[in-house]
Amino acid sequence: MAHEQHQELIQALHDCAAECNHCFDACLQEDNVKMLADCIRLDRECADICAFLEHAITRNSPFVAELAAVCAKICEACGNECDKHADMHEHCKRCAEACRRCAEACRNIA
């Protein structure tokens, strides 16, 4: 089964989506939300594509490699944006780390 051979990627996708959702919510609670607008936007994009790719893998989609390439690109962009705020916000630091792990896992199958 496709989902069994991609178990490590599925876990990375799940973890990344969870960290992005947490970061998204935490950013909305910060004092200067406007400064975090790009972070919030990319958190949503990243969480959505990670969840979509996780589901695509489990249903054995023929587009997994192509989706993984797009997911890697979005994870990298989100991680880079979160890195800009990592010194001030622990949630951004954790999100950036999860995004980097997920981008690497996606690139391995893209």
Side-chain angles (χ1 to χ4, degrees):
M1 297 296 264
H3 68 279
E4 291 170 345
Q5 74 185 78
H6 295 300
Q7 197 56 45
E8 186 176 315
L9 174 57
I10 289 171
Q11 189 62 55
L13 291 163
H14 186 82
D15 293 346
C16 188
E19 286 297 337
C20 286
N21 281 327
H22 173 72
C23 188
F24 166 81
D25 183 62
C27 283
L28 290 174
Q29 306 306 312
E30 297 293 343
D31 290 334
N32 193 352
V33 173
K34 194 169 197 155
M35 179 189 78
L36 297 167
D38 289 339
C39 187
I40 293 166
R41 183 175 291 110
L42 283 166
D43 282 338
R44 291 302 324 132
E45 292 287 334
C46 193
D48 287 350
I49 190 65
C50 286
F52 186 82
L53 179 54
E54 183 179 353
H55 294 150
I57 291 169
T58 60
R59 67 176 172 263
N60 201 25
S61 169
F63 304 105
V64 167
E66 292 90 343
L67 291 168
V70 172
C71 189
K73 186 175 182 176
I74 294 171
C75 285
E76 189 173 328
C78 187
N80 289 341
E81 182 61 32
C82 282
D83 265 340
K84 294 177 184 177
H85 313 285
D87 290 342
M88 296 182 301
H89 306 294
E90 182 66 23
H91 53 85
C92 287
K93 180 179 177 182
R94 286 193 316 269
C95 188
E97 291 167 356
C99 287
R100 278 192 291 276
R101 284 190 302 272
C102 193
E104 182 179 339
C106 285
R107 281 191 291 271
N108 287 338
I109 70 154

